[in-house]
Amino acid sequence: MRRKAKILIATYVIAALTALSLYSFVGQRSLGWYRRTAETAAGLAFEESVRAVESMTAALEQSVYATDAQMADRLCGEISARAAAAEAALATLPFSTEELEQLSAFLNRSGDYALCLCGQEGGVTAEQRETLRGYAGSAAALSAKLEELRTRLGGKELRMDSRELRLRNIEEPDLPPVLSAELLACEAEFCQPETPTYDGRYAQTEESAGESLSEQSALARAAAFLGKAPEELQPAYDYEGADGRRCFRCGDSWLCLSRSGLESLSCSRLIYDAKLSEEEGRTLAHELLTKLGYADVRELSAEAEGAVLRLRYAPLAEGVPCVDTPITLSLALDNGSVCRYCAPKAMDLSGASFELDAAAAAAALPDDLRWSAGEQVLRRSPGGRAVPCWRFTAKDAQGRQITIDVHAQSGREYAIAVGEPQTGR
């Protein structure tokens, strides 16, 4: 009996060791396959980055000599597309790219600047060509460095980073430096070209005049809005930005304030059965917006879901709706408290005059549809400037709503939307 037990135990042990060996063999092969796949994908991403920067450099160098408006638009569009492709490819590399601040800023700003030059009347000016020349020089230097890194990577003088976490007690032979270290060295040496003021997303803006909002003043405003004592609020985080932003927390509520007032509020409390009607909720919302300085607004949408009423408003500037800076407000219909509030930064209204009437603006519309009477709206440019437009709508053969905004100063089409009109950017 003892002999049979020993044989049975030995059989089980051998079977377990065999299964473990097979599992380790298969796992090792799978791990090797995953490693090769990850390395190939990372290599392709870096290769795409190099090609995109090369194409962007070529387009920048060509744009310096573009005097024809159509040629300049084509080249500027290519610059913007290649810059976006390079930034997207860099973001997929297997290491943290937030440290590559200068390189990312160069790609974003050069593409944004070129995009803002597309479609302007008269083509690219001499001053703008000089700016593009500066970008071309920096792009050429970056392209040469990336080409060098690609050559070293192919010659095994560099190795691609890996997100794999290996055991510290496993000794590895001396390995070549990783790509991320070389890119960080390039980041430290990279020099950003100067960019003049332009109307774009990444344009350098001057700091707002006036002193920054102090924490004591922001705390007093937040406490007054919530109806709480200042001692009940706690600072949430320290980010301020150019507008002196301060953030606080009180129980389930989070608030962000700046010099312009309350920017956002959110509350995560449980909401019970609705006791207020939608009309009562709208009345409370209007009273709140008036208290916050938005007495003149136009309701864009209203949606009740359970015991929450979601509202969207467009601020009015001399009766004209600012459709790209909507105010969103959600109210709890159990007690009328605010669940969510967000008010974007106001637009720069200087120079936003309607020089053309609706009839003159309608000349830019296609003739195959029956368009509604024009409505005045204010759109927001990428740089935050108010753009006066006449908005026209029509139905196409498929019953879809077509919305076209015509610039009220140049008379050219500014934006086209198929389907529901886009009221935010």
Side-chain angles (χ1 to χ4, degrees):
M1 190 69 182
R2 185 178 297 178
R3 177 184 176 85
K4 290 183 178 180
K6 289 182 178 180
I7 293 174
L8 187 61
I9 292 173
T11 302
Y12 285 153
V13 170
I14 292 173
L17 291 175
T18 303
L20 181 61
S21 300
L22 291 174
Y23 178 78
S24 300
F25 176 74
V26 173
Q28 183 65 27
R29 292 197 61 179
S30 299
L31 179 60
W33 181 82
Y34 284 126
R35 283 175 178 170
R36 290 190 297 272
T37 301
E39 185 176 358
T40 301
L44 290 174
F46 184 67
E47 181 71 22
E48 180 60 31
S49 300
V50 176
R51 287 201 301 262
V53 173
E54 287 177 350
S55 300
M56 184 185 75
T57 302
L60 280 166
E61 292 174 344
Q62 296 166 11
S63 67
V64 175
Y65 307 99
T67 57
D68 181 77
Q70 293 182 347
M71 174 62 72
D73 288 349
R74 185 180 70 82
L75 291 173
C76 287
E78 183 175 353
I79 293 168
S80 177
R82 294 301 181 180
E87 175 64 17
L90 282 176
T92 62
L93 292 176
F95 53 85
S96 299
T97 55
E98 66 268 13
E99 296 178 349
L100 304 179
E101 180 181 2
Q102 295 296 324
L103 298 181
S104 296
F106 169 71
L107 293 174
N108 286 326
R109 186 167 293 164
S110 58
D112 184 54
Y113 181 75
L115 183 63
C116 289
L117 299 183
C118 292
Q120 67 177 5
E121 296 184 14
V124 179
T125 65
E127 181 181 358
Q128 291 167 343
R129 280 199 294 270
E130 287 301 313
T131 301
L132 292 173
R133 190 189 302 275
Y135 275 120
S138 298
L142 177 59
S143 179
K145 181 62 177 180
L146 293 179
E147 179 63 32
E148 175 193 343
L149 295 179
R150 178 171 63 178
T151 302
R152 293 174 59 189
L153 195 63
K156 304 301 181 181
E157 298 179 18
L158 282 178
R159 61 187 172 94
M160 183 60 70
D161 294 72
S162 174
R163 297 189 186 275
E164 180 183 353
L165 298 177
R166 302 199 179 192
L167 296 177
R168 295 180 179 271
N169 59 352
I170 297 179
E171 295 185 2
E172 294 184 352
D174 293 336
L175 297 174
V178 293
L179 176 64
S180 60
E182 297 297 319
L183 283 176
L184 284 175
C186 176
E187 159 82 9
E189 300 173 357
F190 189 77
C191 182
Q192 282 274 12
E194 293 186 4
T195 304
T197 302
Y198 72 101
D199 188 22
R201 293 178 59 192
Y202 301 107
Q204 292 180 340
T205 58
E206 297 181 358
E207 293 283 329
S208 300
E211 297 181 358
S212 177
L213 181 66
S214 66
E215 184 171 348
Q216 292 75 16
S217 178
L219 181 62
R221 294 186 190 181
F225 179 81
L226 293 177
K228 302 286 185 179
E231 296 78 17
E232 298 182 57
L233 277 68
Q234 298 176 347
Y237 48 91
D238 296 333
Y239 173 75
E240 292 187 15
D243 295 326
R245 187 173 292 107
R246 301 280 182 174
C247 301
F248 301 94
R249 178 182 181 181
C250 180
D252 296 327
S253 299
W254 298 74
L255 301 90
C256 289
L257 300 93
S258 67
R259 279 191 296 269
S260 59
L262 181 66
E263 289 190 348
S264 65
L265 182 148
S266 62
C267 181
S268 57
R269 73 173 182 87
L270 293 176
I271 301 174
Y272 302 97
D273 296 336
K275 298 179 181 178
L276 303 175
S277 65
E278 293 186 25
E279 198 58 37
E280 290 174 326
R282 280 189 170 93
T283 302
L284 291 175
H286 183 71
E287 293 175 355
L288 175 62
L289 292 177
T290 302
K291 177 182 176 182
L292 294 173
Y294 295 103
D296 296 329
V297 294
R298 175 185 297 180
E299 184 179 301
L300 298 176
S301 64
E303 178 185 3
E305 183 175 346
V308 177
L309 177 62
R310 296 184 176 90
L311 301 163
R312 294 177 72 247
Y313 298 91
L316 299 180
E318 297 183 359
V320 181
C322 305
V323 294
D324 283 335
T325 55
I327 302 170
T328 57
L329 177 62
S330 296
L331 292 178
L333 295 180
D334 57 353
N335 61 3
S337 62
V338 179
C339 299
R340 183 176 181 271
Y341 168 82
C342 182
K345 187 177 180 180
M347 298 184 296
D348 179 12
L349 298 174
S350 60
S353 60
F354 288 81
E355 299 178 2
L356 300 178
D357 58 16
L365 301 175
D367 298 329
D368 56 342
L369 294 176
R370 185 175 181 179
W371 298 95
S372 65
E375 176 193 9
Q376 290 183 340
V377 296
L378 288 176
R379 302 297 305 264
R380 185 183 187 276
S381 71
R385 180 175 54 86
V387 181
C389 291
W390 285 97
R391 170 165 291 184
F392 301 90
T393 59
K395 294 286 186 180
D396 64 1
Q398 290 76 34
R400 298 175 301 178
Q401 180 169 286
I402 311 300
T403 304
I404 296 182
D405 294 337
V406 179
H407 202 294
Q409 294 174 341
S410 66
R412 302 171 63 183
E413 291 181 331
Y414 181 79
I416 301 174
V418 178
E420 293 300 323
Q422 297 178 353
T423 57
R425 274 190 162 181

Short mmCIF file of all heavy atoms in Angstrom, two decimals, residues 14 50 86 95 130 160 169 175 226 236 245 293 296 325 333 354 374 379:
data_model
loop_
_atom_site.label_atom_id
_atom_site.label_comp_id
_atom_site.label_asym_id
_atom_site.label_seq_id
_atom_site.Cartn_x
_atom_site.Cartn_y
_atom_site.Cartn_z
N ILE A 14 5.34 14.33 -11.26
CA ILE A 14 5.89 14.39 -12.62
C ILE A 14 4.91 15.07 -13.57
O ILE A 14 5.29 15.89 -14.41
CB ILE A 14 6.23 12.96 -13.10
CG1 ILE A 14 7.41 12.40 -12.28
CG2 ILE A 14 6.58 12.98 -14.58
CD1 ILE A 14 7.70 10.93 -12.56
N VAL A 50 9.26 60.70 -37.61
CA VAL A 50 10.36 61.22 -38.43
C VAL A 50 9.85 61.66 -39.80
O VAL A 50 10.18 62.75 -40.29
CB VAL A 50 11.47 60.16 -38.56
CG1 VAL A 50 12.57 60.65 -39.48
CG2 VAL A 50 12.04 59.81 -37.19
N ALA A 86 2.79 64.25 -36.49
CA ALA A 86 4.02 64.06 -35.71
C ALA A 86 3.72 64.06 -34.22
O ALA A 86 4.25 63.24 -33.47
CB ALA A 86 5.03 65.15 -36.05
N PHE A 95 6.97 55.72 -23.72
CA PHE A 95 7.51 56.44 -22.57
C PHE A 95 6.71 57.71 -22.40
O PHE A 95 5.99 58.14 -23.30
CB PHE A 95 9.01 56.74 -22.72
CG PHE A 95 9.38 57.43 -24.00
CD1 PHE A 95 9.29 58.80 -24.13
CD2 PHE A 95 9.82 56.69 -25.09
CE1 PHE A 95 9.63 59.43 -25.31
CE2 PHE A 95 10.17 57.32 -26.28
CZ PHE A 95 10.08 58.70 -26.38
N GLU A 130 8.34 85.49 -43.09
CA GLU A 130 9.52 85.49 -42.23
C GLU A 130 9.30 84.60 -41.01
O GLU A 130 10.21 83.91 -40.55
CB GLU A 130 9.87 86.91 -41.81
CG GLU A 130 10.48 87.75 -42.91
CD GLU A 130 11.76 87.12 -43.46
OE1 GLU A 130 12.61 86.71 -42.64
OE2 GLU A 130 11.88 87.02 -44.68
N MET A 160 14.89 50.98 -28.25
CA MET A 160 13.57 51.54 -27.98
C MET A 160 13.18 51.28 -26.53
O MET A 160 13.50 50.24 -25.95
CB MET A 160 12.54 50.91 -28.92
CG MET A 160 11.14 51.47 -28.77
SD MET A 160 11.02 53.24 -29.08
CE MET A 160 11.31 53.26 -30.87
N ASN A 169 16.17 41.92 -9.61
CA ASN A 169 17.26 41.02 -9.27
C ASN A 169 17.81 40.27 -10.47
O ASN A 169 18.64 39.38 -10.33
CB ASN A 169 16.80 40.01 -8.21
CG ASN A 169 15.62 39.18 -8.70
OD1 ASN A 169 15.06 39.47 -9.75
ND2 ASN A 169 15.24 38.17 -7.92
N LEU A 175 23.63 47.68 -21.92
CA LEU A 175 22.76 47.93 -23.07
C LEU A 175 22.97 49.36 -23.57
O LEU A 175 23.37 50.25 -22.81
CB LEU A 175 21.30 47.73 -22.67
CG LEU A 175 20.91 46.32 -22.24
CD1 LEU A 175 19.48 46.30 -21.74
CD2 LEU A 175 21.09 45.33 -23.38
N LEU A 226 -22.09 79.36 -1.80
CA LEU A 226 -22.66 78.14 -1.23
C LEU A 226 -23.50 78.41 0.01
O LEU A 226 -24.20 77.52 0.48
CB LEU A 226 -21.53 77.16 -0.88
CG LEU A 226 -20.75 76.55 -2.05
CD1 LEU A 226 -19.63 75.67 -1.52
CD2 LEU A 226 -21.67 75.76 -2.96
N ALA A 236 -8.73 72.94 -2.86
CA ALA A 236 -8.68 71.65 -3.55
C ALA A 236 -7.33 71.44 -4.23
O ALA A 236 -6.66 70.44 -4.02
CB ALA A 236 -9.81 71.55 -4.56
N ARG A 245 -6.88 81.40 -11.16
CA ARG A 245 -7.93 80.44 -10.79
C ARG A 245 -7.65 79.82 -9.43
O ARG A 245 -6.53 79.45 -9.11
CB ARG A 245 -8.01 79.36 -11.86
CG ARG A 245 -9.16 78.40 -11.68
CD ARG A 245 -9.28 77.46 -12.85
NE ARG A 245 -9.68 78.18 -14.06
CZ ARG A 245 -8.86 78.44 -15.06
NH1 ARG A 245 -7.60 78.07 -15.00
NH2 ARG A 245 -9.29 79.08 -16.13
N GLY A 293 -24.26 87.28 -13.05
CA GLY A 293 -23.94 88.29 -14.05
C GLY A 293 -24.36 87.94 -15.46
O GLY A 293 -23.93 88.59 -16.41
N ASP A 296 -28.74 88.45 -19.44
CA ASP A 296 -29.16 88.36 -20.83
C ASP A 296 -28.62 87.07 -21.44
O ASP A 296 -27.44 86.98 -21.81
CB ASP A 296 -28.67 89.57 -21.63
CG ASP A 296 -29.29 90.86 -21.14
OD1 ASP A 296 -30.44 90.81 -20.66
OD2 ASP A 296 -28.63 91.92 -21.21
N THR A 325 -19.79 79.94 -26.82
CA THR A 325 -19.43 79.98 -25.40
C THR A 325 -20.68 79.69 -24.57
O THR A 325 -21.13 80.53 -23.78
CB THR A 325 -18.84 81.33 -25.01
OG1 THR A 325 -19.76 82.38 -25.36
CG2 THR A 325 -17.51 81.57 -25.70
N LEU A 333 -33.92 68.64 -9.15
CA LEU A 333 -35.32 69.02 -8.98
C LEU A 333 -35.91 68.56 -7.65
O LEU A 333 -37.12 68.72 -7.44
CB LEU A 333 -36.15 68.47 -10.14
CG LEU A 333 -35.81 69.04 -11.52
CD1 LEU A 333 -36.69 68.41 -12.58
CD2 LEU A 333 -35.94 70.55 -11.54
N PHE A 354 -21.27 94.16 -37.37
CA PHE A 354 -21.94 93.59 -38.53
C PHE A 354 -21.95 94.63 -39.64
O PHE A 354 -22.82 95.49 -39.71
CB PHE A 354 -23.35 93.15 -38.16
CG PHE A 354 -23.41 91.93 -37.30
CD1 PHE A 354 -23.21 92.02 -35.93
CD2 PHE A 354 -23.62 90.68 -37.86
CE1 PHE A 354 -23.25 90.89 -35.13
CE2 PHE A 354 -23.67 89.54 -37.07
CZ PHE A 354 -23.47 89.64 -35.70
N GLY A 374 -31.59 85.30 -42.47
CA GLY A 374 -30.36 85.26 -41.69
C GLY A 374 -30.57 85.69 -40.23
O GLY A 374 -31.40 86.56 -39.94
N ARG A 379 -19.58 83.98 -33.35
CA ARG A 379 -18.77 82.78 -33.23
C ARG A 379 -17.46 83.12 -32.52
O ARG A 379 -17.06 84.28 -32.46
CB ARG A 379 -18.46 82.20 -34.61
CG ARG A 379 -19.68 81.82 -35.45
CD ARG A 379 -20.50 80.73 -34.81
NE ARG A 379 -19.74 79.55 -34.52
CZ ARG A 379 -19.67 78.47 -35.32
NH1 ARG A 379 -20.35 78.45 -36.45
NH2 ARG A 379 -18.96 77.41 -34.97
#
